[in-house]
C-alpha cells in the first residue's frame, strides 16, 4: 500500500487529495484540503501554497508526511489573464448643460420649461414669459417664495425653480401655484442664464420620465435628430433620478468625440483576421471562431487593446523568464459591458454609461517552468514529485467519482481565470480545451458596471444574495420575502441595499436599487459563463457539434459553487439535449477537488496497467 497526494494548482486555488493505493490499484481516499494558490499558477511561486495544502491534507488524514510515496501535480502550464475595458466612445459636453443630482427632498412636482432667469432679475421679466427662476446662494427662502409669487401675480409664468440651498420644500410650500423645485445645486452660479431650460421633479417614490428620455428632451427643446443623438448621454445619465434640470446651451457647445477603438488581430493556424473592438463582443467572438485554432492575438500599438495584450505578454515573460516574443495569446473572450464615465461639463458629477468591450486574454507558455516547479517542490517536500497529467483529463477522472456519473461524460471546470472542458467517450480518448474568462471576469464586470471600485465587495455581490434593509429589524430579500432580526442591523445598513455574506450584512454604497444590482450580477454571469460553456463544449464535441455530446455534463470548479451559474448553464445546454449537473467529487467534495482526485485515480490506473508516470 502506498500513500500519495494529488495536488491541483489552479489560478485561484490549490487543492489536495490524499489517498492510499493498494497493491491491486484499489484507492482509499483519505482526505482533501484547499488553500489559495501562491503566485501565478505553474510558476515556482506556487511552492508555499502547495506545501501548505499537502501538510493540511496529510494532517487531516492522520498520516506521517515521511510515509508519502509521491506527490502528484497537474501539468499546470501558466495562464495569465488580462482584462481590458475599451470604451467605445467618450462624450464630452463642453458647456454645463445638466444638473442631474438627486437632492434628498426636491419640492413640488411636474415638468417646467422656460428661460433661465436669476432671482434678482425676476421683476424685470415680461408678463406672459415662461421662466425658470435660479435662486443663488444667500437668498432667504421666504424672500425667494415672495419674489416668485409676486412675479406670478404680474403674469410671469414661473414654471420651475433651481435653488442653491436645501430649501426646495420650504419654497414650494409657500408658492401660490405649485411648480417643480430642485435644490442643493452647489454650482448654481454656473447655471447658464437666458437659456431655455427644463426642470423636472417626480412624485416621491417615482423617477423622472421626460428628461431621462432622449426624445423627451428633444420634444422639450425641439431638437432635430442629430441634436437628439448628441443629447442622448445626458438623458442616459439622468435615468433613475427623482429630479433633474437640463439647460439647452447654444449650438456647438455639445460635442461628441469618438475615440478610435483599437483593432484586434487574430492569427489562426490557417488564417488571420482583423476585427474592430467597437464591433462588439459578438462580432469579435464570431471572428475568433473563423480563425480557430488561435495561434496568437495582437492589437494596434497605441490603443487599449494593443496595450493590454502587450501587458499580458510582459507579465508572462517576467514570471517565466521566457523572451517576450515567444509568449503567445491562446484564447480571448470578449464581453460587452458598459462603464460609468464622468460627463465633462455636468454640474453635479454626473456619469453616463458608455458602451465598452472587456477582453480577457489567456497566454500559455511552454512546459519548462513546470519542470522547475516540480524540482523545487521535491526540495521543499522531501518526497518524489510527479507531473502526472493534463488538468482537464484529470478533472474527467475526478468527475467520474461523482455518484451516478459514468462514461460517456463531459466536464466543465469553471475556475477563476479559465473555463475548461473535456469529453471522453467509452474509449480512452479525451478532448479538452482551456478558455479565457471565468469567475474573476464576472467579478470585474460587476465591479465596473456598478462603479464600485471595490473588488472585494464585487466578489461578495457575485456570491451572495441581496436585500434591502427596510428597518433596523427587518430586511426584504431580493426574492421579495422578509426576514426579521432580534438584534438591530448595523446603522450603516439602514435603508440601503445590502449583501448577505457569510461574514455578515454588508451595505453596498451605491444608489442602484436591488433590481438593478441583481440584473448586472446575473447578466455578468451569463455573458461569461453561458458563452464560455457553449464555446467550450462546442470545441470538445465530436465534429464540433454540441448535440453530438452524448450523456452528461458534470460542472466543476469554484464557480460551480455559485448559486446561479450551474442553473444558467443547465438551461443553456438543455436546448442541445444535454443534461448538466454540479459534480460531487468522491461523493463528498461537491464540485471541488476533481483534478486532485483525478490525479490519484490516474496514478492508480497507470500503476495497475503497468504504465509509467513521468517524473
Ligand atoms: P482555479 O481552478 O482557477 O484555481 P477555482 O476552481 O478555485 O479556480 O475557482 C475560483 C473561482 O470560484 C473564483 O472566481 C471565485 O470567485 C469562485 N467562487 C468560489 N466560491 C464561490 C461561491 N461560493 N460562489 C460563487 N463563486 C465562487
Ligand atoms: Mg481549477
Amino acid at each position: 500500500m502506498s500513500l500519495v497526494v494529488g495536488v491541483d494548482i489552479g489560478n485561484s486555488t490549490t487543492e489536495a487529495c490524499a489517498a492510499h493505493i493498494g497493491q491491486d490499484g484499489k484507492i482509499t481516499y483519505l482526505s482533501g484540503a484547499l488553500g489559495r494558490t501562491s503566485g501565478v499558477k505553474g510558476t515556482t511561486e506556487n511552492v508555499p501554497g502547495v506545501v501548505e495544502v499537502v501538510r493540511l491534507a496529510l494532517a487531516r488524514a492522520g498520516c506521517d508526511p515521511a510515509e508519502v510515496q509521491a506527490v502528484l501535480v497537474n501539468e499546470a502550464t501558466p495562464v495569465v489573464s488580462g482584462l481590458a475595458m475599451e470604451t467605445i466612445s467618450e462624450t464630452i459636453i463642453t458647456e454645463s448643460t445638466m444638473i442631474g443630482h438627486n437632492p434628498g427632498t426636491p419640492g413640488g412636482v411636474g415638468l417646467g420649461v422656460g428661460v433661465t432667469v436669476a432671482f434678482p432679475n425676476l421683476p424685470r421679466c415680461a408678463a406672459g414669459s415662461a421662466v425658470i427662476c435660479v435662486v443663488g446662494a444667500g437668498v432667504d427662502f421666504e424672500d425667494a417664495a415672495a419674489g416668485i409669487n409676486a412675479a406670478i401675480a404680474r403674469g410671469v409664468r414661473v414654471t420651475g425653480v433651481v435653488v442653491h440651498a436645501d430649501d426646495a420644500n420650504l419654497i414650494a410650500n409657500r408658492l401660490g401655484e405649485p411648480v417643480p423645485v430642485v435644490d442643493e445645486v452647489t454650482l448654481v452660479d454656473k447655471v447658464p442664464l437666458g437659456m431655455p431650460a427644463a426642470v423636472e421633479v417626480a412624485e416621491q417614490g417615482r423617477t423622472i420620465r421626460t428628461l431621462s428620455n432622449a426624445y423627451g428632451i428633444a420634444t422639450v427643446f425641439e431638437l432635430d435628430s442629430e441634436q437628439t443623438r448628441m443629447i442622448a448621454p445626458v438623458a442616459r445619465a439622468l435615468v433613475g433620478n427623482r429630479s433633474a434640470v437640463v439647460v439647452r446651451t447654444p449650438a456647438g457647445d455639445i460635442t461628441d468625440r469618438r475615440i478610435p477603438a483599437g483593432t484586434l488581430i487574430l492569427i489562426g493556424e490557417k488564417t488571420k483576421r482583423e476585427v474592430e473592438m467597437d464591433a462588439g463582443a459578438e462580432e469579435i467572438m464570431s471572428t475568433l471562431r473563423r480563425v480557430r485554432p488561435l495561434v496568437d492575438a495582437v492589437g494596434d500599438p497605441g490603443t487599449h487593446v494593443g496595450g493590454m495584450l502587450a501587458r499580458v505578454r510582459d507579465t508572462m515573460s517576467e514570471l517565466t523568464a521566457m523572451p517576450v516574443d515567444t509568449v503567445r495569446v491562446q484564447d480571448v473572450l470578449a464581453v460587452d459591458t458598459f462603464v460609468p464615465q464622468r460627463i465633462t461639463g455636468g454640474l453635479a458629477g454626473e456619469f453616463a454609461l458608455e458602451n465598452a468591450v472587456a477582453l480577457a486574454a489567456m497566454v500559455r507558455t511552454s512546459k519548462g517552468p513546470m519542470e522547475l516547479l516540480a524540482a523545487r517542490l521535491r526540495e521543499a517536500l522531501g518526497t518524489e514529485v510527479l507531473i502526472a497529467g493534463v488538468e482537464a483529463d484529470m478533472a474527467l477522472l475526478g468527475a467520474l467519482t461523482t455518484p451516478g456519473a459514468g462514461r460517456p461524460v463531459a466536464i466543465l471546470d469553471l475556475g477563476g481565470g479559465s473555463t475548461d472542458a473535456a469529453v471522453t467517450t467509452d474509449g480512452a480518448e479525451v478532448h479538452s480545451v482551456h478558455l479565457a474568462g471565468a469567475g474573476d471576469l464576472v467579478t470585474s464586470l460587476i465591479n465596473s458596471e456598478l462603479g464600485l471600485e471595490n473588488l472585494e465587495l464585487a466578489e461578495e455581490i457575485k456570491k451572495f444574495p441581496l436585500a434591502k434593509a427596510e428597518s433596523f429589524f427587518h430586511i426584504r430579500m431580493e426574492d421579495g420575502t422578509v426576514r426579521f432580526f432580534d438584534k438591530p442591523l448595523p446603522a450603516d445598513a439602514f435603508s440601503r441595499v445590502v449583501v448577505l455574506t457569510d461574514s455578515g450584512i454588508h451595505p453596498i454604497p451605491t444608489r442602484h436599487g436591488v433590481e438593478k444590482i441583481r440584473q448586472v450580477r446575473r447578466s455578468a454571469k451569463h455573458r461569461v459563463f453561458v458563452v464560455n460553456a457553449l464555446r467550450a463544449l462546442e470545441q470538445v464535441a465530436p465534429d464540433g457539434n454540441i448535440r453530438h455530446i452524448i450523456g452528461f455534463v458534470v460542472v466543476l470548479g469554484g464557480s460551480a459553487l455559485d448559486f446561479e451559474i450551474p442553473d444558467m448553464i443547465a438551461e443553456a445546454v438543455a436546448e442541445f439535449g444535454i443534461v448538466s449537473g454540479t459534480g460531487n467529487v468522491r461523493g463528498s467534495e461537491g464540485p471541488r477537488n476533481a483534478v486532485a482526485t483525478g490525479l490519484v485515480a490516474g496514478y492508480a490506473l497507470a500503476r495497475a496497467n503497468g504504465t509509467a508516470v513521468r517524473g
Side-chain angles (χ1 to χ4, degrees):
M1 207 167 62
S2 50
L3 176 64
V4 295
V5 186
V7 179
D8 166 26
I9 306 162
N11 284 297
S12 322
T13 316
T14 299
E15 302 178 338
C17 167
H20 274 137
I21 298 178
Q23 230 43 46
D24 52 355
K26 189 176 174 326
I27 309 166
T28 314
Y29 292 108
L30 302 171
S31 64
L34 93 189
R36 267 205 85 74
T37 297
S38 51
V40 171
K41 169 182 176 174
T43 64
T44 52
E45 293 173 349
N46 300 157
V47 174
V50 172
V51 170
E52 166 91 29
V53 294
V54 169
R55 284 212 179 116
L56 194 60
L58 290 172
R60 280 189 190 153
C63 292
D64 180 355
E67 285 167 23
V68 176
Q69 193 155 73
V71 168
L72 316 163
V73 294
N74 57 317
E75 208 162 81
T77 39
V79 171
V80 173
S81 291
L83 183 63
M85 302 261 188
E86 170 135 358
T87 311
I88 290 170
S89 68
E90 183 188 357
T91 303
I92 294 173
I93 297 163
T94 48
E95 268 297 299
S96 308
T97 53
M98 55 182 284
I99 301 159
H101 77 145
N102 246 349
T105 48
V109 69
L111 175 73
V113 182
V115 171
T116 47
V117 173
F119 176 71
N121 291 336
L122 210 49
R124 285 190 279 281
C125 290
S129 58
V131 304
I132 300 285
C133 179
V134 181
V135 182
V139 179
D140 179 72
F141 62 87
E142 291 205 328
D143 296 342
I148 294 165
N149 280 331
I152 292 173
R154 280 197 304 113
V156 178
R157 286 169 40 228
V158 179
T159 60
V161 185
V162 179
V163 198
H164 174 263
D166 182 11
D167 282 347
N169 278 296
L170 295 173
I171 295 175
N173 292 341
R174 284 168 175 76
L175 296 182
E177 285 172 35
V179 298
V181 184
V182 171
D183 61 358
E184 294 177 63
V185 178
T186 36
L187 300 179
V188 79
D189 314 338
K190 297 244 173 87
V191 175
L193 297 171
M195 302 289 170
V199 176
E200 185 175 8
V201 174
E203 273 172 52
Q204 204 171 350
R206 292 179 182 258
T207 57
I208 53 167
R209 284 281 166 266
T210 307
L211 299 183
S212 55
N213 168 3
Y215 301 116
I217 298 181
T219 311
V220 166
F221 295 122
E222 296 169 0
L223 304 180
D224 63 23
S225 62
E226 182 58 16
Q227 291 165 323
T228 306
R229 196 181 66 77
M230 305 232 261
I231 202 82
V234 171
R236 267 188 284 147
L238 295 177
V239 170
N241 276 12
R242 203 190 138 197
S243 71
V245 179
V246 174
V247 184
R248 186 176 178 205
T249 50
D253 282 352
I254 302 169
T255 59
D256 178 311
R257 185 156 67 93
R258 280 185 83 79
I259 290 180
T263 305
L264 177 66
I265 303 154
L266 298 168
I267 304 155
E269 264 172 25
K270 298 196 192 73
T271 152
K272 169 176 151 181
R273 280 176 199 262
E274 295 189 358
V275 59
E276 297 298 322
M277 288 295 283
D278 67 5
E282 204 169 309
E283 184 63 30
I284 295 170
M285 295 317 284
S286 83
T287 308
L288 176 61
R289 279 176 76 166
R290 275 178 261 139
V291 304
R292 235 164 39 199
L294 191 69
V295 175
D296 202 6
V298 288
D300 281 344
T303 65
H304 285 291
V305 57
M308 173 238 161
L309 291 176
R311 245 186 342 270
V312 170
R313 244 181 267 276
D314 282 350
T315 315
M316 189 52 121
S317 129
E318 235 166 72
L319 288 169
T320 58
M322 288 177 60
V324 173
D325 53 5
T326 60
V327 177
R328 299 270 176 270
V329 173
Q330 182 205 277
D331 185 50
V332 292
L333 173 69
V335 177
D336 285 324
T337 179
F338 47 83
V339 279
Q341 293 271 311
R342 188 176 287 273
I343 291 190
T344 315
L347 286 188
E350 292 85 353
F351 285 91
L353 293 175
E354 292 290 343
N355 291 321
V357 174
L359 198 65
M362 196 172 67
V363 151
R364 210 194 312 214
T365 58
S366 71
K367 300 203 172 81
M370 196 59 215
E371 309 281 355
L372 192 61
L373 169 60
R376 290 282 161 80
L377 280 174
R378 238 166 254 139
E379 286 164 28
L381 293 164
T383 56
E384 180 61 308
V385 174
L386 304 174
I387 301 169
V390 175
E391 206 167 312
D393 302 13
M394 296 303 113
L396 266 175
L397 286 179
L400 285 168
T401 66
T402 294
R407 291 168 193 269
V409 69
I411 58 117
L412 273 172
D413 182 353
L414 316 177
S418 69
T419 301
D420 305 339
V423 284
T424 179
T425 49
D426 299 324
E429 208 186 337
V430 171
H431 291 281
S432 62
V433 277
H434 208 52
L435 302 179
D440 299 344
L441 177 58
V442 173
T443 305
S444 300
L445 289 172
I446 293 172
N447 186 45
S448 65
E449 292 183 5
L450 294 175
L452 299 174
E453 292 175 24
N454 180 346
L455 275 173
E456 247 166 76
L457 180 61
E459 178 81 7
E460 291 180 344
I461 293 175
K462 174 177 86 173
K463 288 188 191 169
F464 301 103
L466 301 165
K468 176 85 184 254
E470 293 188 332
S471 78
F472 280 114
F473 293 96
H474 85 279
I475 58 173
R476 186 168 298 273
M477 308 283 289
E478 63 176 82
D479 66 1
T481 56
V482 174
R483 216 170 110 185
F484 292 92
F485 296 87
D486 294 335
K487 290 203 198 96
L489 296 168
D492 60 355
F494 180 64
S495 193
R496 272 265 160 84
V497 178
V498 295
V499 56
L500 305 173
T501 77
D502 52 5
S503 63
I505 293 183
H506 298 161
I508 304 172
T510 160
R511 63 189 180 99
H512 300 299
V514 170
E515 200 39 51
K516 167 75 181 174
I517 299 172
R518 177 172 185 272
Q519 181 243 322
V520 165
R521 178 191 77 208
R522 289 184 59 87
S523 138
K525 289 174 181 176
H526 204 273
R527 279 173 283 163
V528 173
F529 280 114
V530 171
V531 168
N532 257 357
L534 294 176
R535 198 159 79 94
L537 291 176
E538 181 184 282
Q539 288 181 49
V540 294
D543 319 316
N545 188 337
I546 300 187
R547 284 179 199 282
H548 293 173
I549 295 180
I550 315 157
F552 296 90
V553 173
V554 179
V555 183
L556 303 168
S559 298
L561 292 169
D562 190 272
F563 68 108
E564 298 172 304
I565 293 168
D567 290 349
M568 287 181 183
I569 291 176
E571 199 178 318
V573 300
E575 242 177 79
F576 299 92
I578 295 173
V579 176
S580 102
T582 306
N584 188 13
V585 175
R586 292 190 266 119
S588 63
E589 306 292 302
R592 287 236 182 238
N593 215 274
V595 175
T597 300
L599 283 164
V600 172
Y603 180 79
L605 213 64
R607 255 191 21 173
N609 294 341
T611 25
V613 175
R614 190 153 62 98

